[in-house]
Amino acid sequence: MLNQVADGVWVRQSEWVWSNAIVVRGESGLILVDPGIDGSDLNQLADDVDRLGIPVVAGFSTHPHWDHLLWHSRFGDVPRYATPAGAQAAREARERAQKMAAQSASGIPLELIGLLTPLPADRGPVPGEIVEHPAHAIGHAAVLLADRGVLLAGDMLSDVLIPLLDPRRPDQVGAYETALERLGEAARHVDVLVPGHGAIAEGPEVAARLAADHAYIDALRRGEEPVDARLDQDWLSGPHQSNLEQARHRSE
């Protein structure tokens, strides 16, 4: 079921690592941001979109990890955008992403994974401001909808996942610091934060998410073992643990 979090912004959450598929109303129609996760989720999202009665005109992928590269034929044959770096990375990793998707979820149209186009300079039908940064994945981007007070953060600022660094790229701690600075500036204009995974943050919780990730990265910079409250919550153990392990390794 779609949950409206602001004017023209809806979110549908999957049980798989609490993944958030986002629907945004633009001037010409709907933009689907990171739709997923398995075939059942995609079909139910398509049902939800049909009930809105507004056509889908584009998709947007916040970054090139397989669970953010999904699509379904029911959404239509429309452009699916990412940052230029993200689109290139998705093309290069498409076969690998298809294999990972086949291993992790069921009923996904594998042939539609990762078919992305670089977002044009004028952003085409995608509303808001693209906040690109070098953390977590190549070409990662948040979407700032300042006029609606919403920040779509991709795989950043989650309440269920610790900051995940890319060990294949240099100075990810520094990259994460830069990303948090950019996201912090964007967050000054919003009171709703939608992460790729986890609960939606509102009001003071937005600043709390930023503070938690700053503290985690600061500890890494000092060479200390980070302490993070997210790792101490009882509901992150037991049956949820397998989902979290999948999340931590989904980009490997």
Side-chain angles (χ1 to χ4, degrees), residues 194-227:
V194 184
H197 303 272
I200 296 164
E202 298 184 42
E205 177 61 22
V206 176
R209 297 276 181 93
L210 279 160
D213 282 1
H214 270 297
Y216 193 96
I217 296 300
D218 287 346
L220 291 179
R221 173 66 74 190
R222 296 191 301 269
E224 301 173 359
E225 184 70 22
V227 176

Side-chain angles (χ1 to χ4, degrees), residues 1-250:
M1 177 183 296
L2 287 177
N3 173 34
Q4 186 166 8
V5 300
D7 180 37
V9 183
W10 299 266
V11 178
R12 186 180 191 280
Q13 189 173 84
S14 168
E15 292 183 1
W16 194 94
V17 200
W18 305 278
S19 300
N20 292 317
I22 305 163
V23 180
V24 179
R25 186 182 63 235
E27 291 185 0
S28 56
L30 300 178
I31 294 86
L32 304 187
V33 180
D34 294 344
I37 278 294
D38 61 23
S40 176
D41 283 320
L42 293 169
N43 265 307
Q44 291 177 51
L45 176 60
D47 289 340
D48 291 337
V49 167
D50 286 347
R51 281 189 284 270
L52 291 177
I54 306 171
V56 174
V57 296
F60 184 77
S61 170
T62 58
H63 62 286
H65 289 165
W66 75 264
D67 53 322
H68 296 261
L69 299 176
L70 308 180
W71 199 252
H72 196 283
S73 59
R74 290 183 61 191
F75 302 148
D77 184 14
V78 298
R80 297 160 54 192
Y81 296 109
T83 64
Q88 179 177 344
R91 285 194 299 272
E92 294 172 353
R94 184 166 180 257
E95 183 176 347
R96 183 162 161 266
Q98 290 173 318
K99 291 179 180 178
M100 295 183 72
Q103 294 170 357
S104 300
S106 61
I108 295 174
L110 300 179
E111 72 279 5
L112 297 180
I113 289 177
L115 300 178
L116 304 182
T117 298
L119 187 69
D122 64 1
R123 301 189 311 280
V126 180
E129 176 185 347
I130 303 301
V131 183
E132 186 173 357
H133 58 76
H136 185 72
I138 294 171
H140 196 298
V143 181
L144 171 62
L145 303 168
D147 61 333
R148 310 181 212 190
V150 177
L151 178 64
L152 312 179
D155 270 9
M156 306 286 288
L157 306 178
S158 170
D159 66 329
V160 298
L161 299 180
I162 61 175
L164 299 175
L165 310 185
D166 185 345
R168 296 163 295 190
R169 294 190 292 143
D171 192 21
Q172 274 289 283
V173 171
Y176 224 100
E177 290 171 333
T178 298
L180 290 176
E181 290 176 2
R182 294 179 183 174
L183 292 172
E185 176 60 32
R188 293 174 54 194
H189 306 282
V190 309
D191 50 19
V192 176
L193 164 73
V194 184
H197 303 272
I200 296 164
E202 298 184 42
E205 177 61 22
V206 176
R209 297 276 181 93
L210 279 160
D213 282 1
H214 270 297
Y216 193 96
I217 296 300
D218 287 346
L220 291 179
R221 173 66 74 190
R222 296 191 301 269
E224 301 173 359
E225 184 70 22
V227 176
D228 193 285
R230 286 164 289 201
L231 303 181
D232 298 328
Q233 299 176 47
D234 292 339
W235 56 273
L236 291 183
S237 61
H240 300 297
Q241 189 62 37
S242 61
N243 267 352
L244 293 176
E245 290 303 321
Q246 288 182 46
R248 292 188 180 106
H249 295 97
R250 67 187 184 276

